Amino acid sequence: MNIRDVLVTAIVFVLLPMCFLHPWKGMLLYSWIGYMNPHHLTWGFAYNIPFAMIIAIPTIAGLFFTRDRLSFIFSPEMFLMFALWIVFVLSTQDAFYPDDAWKQLDKVTKILAAAFLTTLLFQDQQKIRALLWVIVISLGFYGIKGGIFTIVTGGQYQVLGPPDSFLEGNTNIGLALVMVIPLILALREEQTNPTIRKLLVGLLVLSVIACVGTYSRGAVLGLVVSMGLLVLKGKAKAVVLPLIIGGALLGPYMLPEKWFGRMETIKTYEQESSAVSRLRAWEMAYNLAMDRPLLGGGFETFSVATYQRYLSDERLSDAVIGTGAHSIFFQVLGEHGFTGLFLFAALLMTTFSSLRKVIRQTKEIDSLRWIHNYAHMIQLSLVGFTVSGLFLSMCYFDLYYQLIALTVVLRRMCQIQPAAAPDSLAIRRQAFGGDIAPAIS
């Protein structure tokens, strides 16, 4: 009997009563299982145990008895998310591959339900911070593991995620690392303990190295854009800028030639088979959507038969035919038509709009500085998701929808708290007759 199996199983079952008594803690445990997949790091009986379902049952049951439950937040994001789920259900009714589509609908429904529960249970600073720590530790584990692996092997091999999980592929774990890096900085910014701050910097550095070590071009593009925005916004510049400069100086000497060859195909995409297959996948998704504009082909529609149906013979080849959409937007377009794409894009744009409003409204309020910090980093995390997602099939990634849920919560807290929490600058102006100039930060 392997010690890993025993340890993971013991942790989950010992904490099940807590899930019932405090459902928000159950959601923390559920998120740990969902993002880290610790049972897929075992080799025995725990590997195939449905821990997520086991945790979900007492967590949901506890909602009917606990005082942790708060009021539902009505917001445009939640409305759009619900409308998108309705489209998912309708497209599944007439899917090309109904058996696979119903299975995928079940998974996506659980992801959206978890986002809904996040808005219901995480409506104060302590709980939101705890959730961010769980996300950072869960995905940061693969940043540490992958970063060390890349350094030790000299970047000769791809960094992969946990087997038999949503993050298994190099592109999938690459996107997850791109999204978690700003969240690491969010936690670091509010830390006063110098040791923890240094540990978070180390986690950040290893996560960046691991992301580069995935060989995922989409992930690297998302990483470059999000870190560039971090510098431009002046967020954690003292950490990020040296990392960028160090990477630019040392990268050519530390990374193998084949890594640069892989990245070079971004510019010469027309000569590279996987890039050509990506373009053909987008073409196929568009042709499919034009044939079935309202609801597309349903989940799991990117198959060999669908390619053969919606691409002409001269545009097909063994190198072109694949099972991935290679883009979050074309994935939604092919699987759920223009209706799904419209709602998906509207959800993303509405979330960015809400984050922008939160950032602006909390800029001068000291007591809401933590909301300002979190909103900034969630915004950058979603930028990374969007840029990387242009080239990756990750439109149903759990973290994306959970960050939307946290955006909804931050917007609500921003709306109800400022009146009761005036900023220190306003207080000083009132006390000294209005002649105090704002401090330069």
Side-chain angles (χ1 to χ4, degrees), residues 90-111:
L90 293 176
S91 68
T92 303
Q93 301 287 335
D94 191 31
F96 283 161
Y97 309 102
D99 292 341
D100 293 335
W102 281 108
K103 291 178 182 178
Q104 182 67 6
L105 176 64
D106 178 63
K107 295 177 183 178
V108 174
T109 299
K110 292 173 183 176
I111 290 170

Side-chain angles (χ1 to χ4, degrees), residues 205-257:
V205 172
L206 288 173
S207 296
V208 170
I209 294 173
C211 184
V212 172
T214 64
Y215 280 66
S216 169
R217 292 161 294 188
V220 169
L221 283 173
L223 179 67
V224 169
V225 172
S226 59
M227 294 194 72
L229 288 175
L230 277 168
V231 174
L232 290 176
K233 287 175 173 288
K235 294 293 180 181
K237 187 181 294 186
V239 175
V240 177
L241 193 56
L243 185 58
I244 293 175
I245 295 173
L249 293 175
L250 298 177
Y253 301 99
M254 298 182 65
L255 291 168
E257 184 63 32

Side-chain angles (χ1 to χ4, degrees), residues 11-33:
I11 290 174
V12 171
F13 280 91
V14 166
L15 294 178
L16 286 182
M18 177 196 71
C19 299
F20 179 79
L21 296 174
H22 301 286
W24 75 274
K25 294 181 181 178
M27 276 301 299
L28 294 181
L29 187 61
Y30 184 89
S31 298
W32 174 60
I33 289 292

Side-chain angles (χ1 to χ4, degrees), residues 392-409:
L392 306 176
S393 307
M394 292 279 284
C395 67
Y396 311 118
F397 185 27
D398 312 39
L399 183 55
Y400 169 62
Y401 295 97
Q402 195 158 40
L403 290 182
I404 291 176
L406 288 179
T407 299
V408 171
V409 174

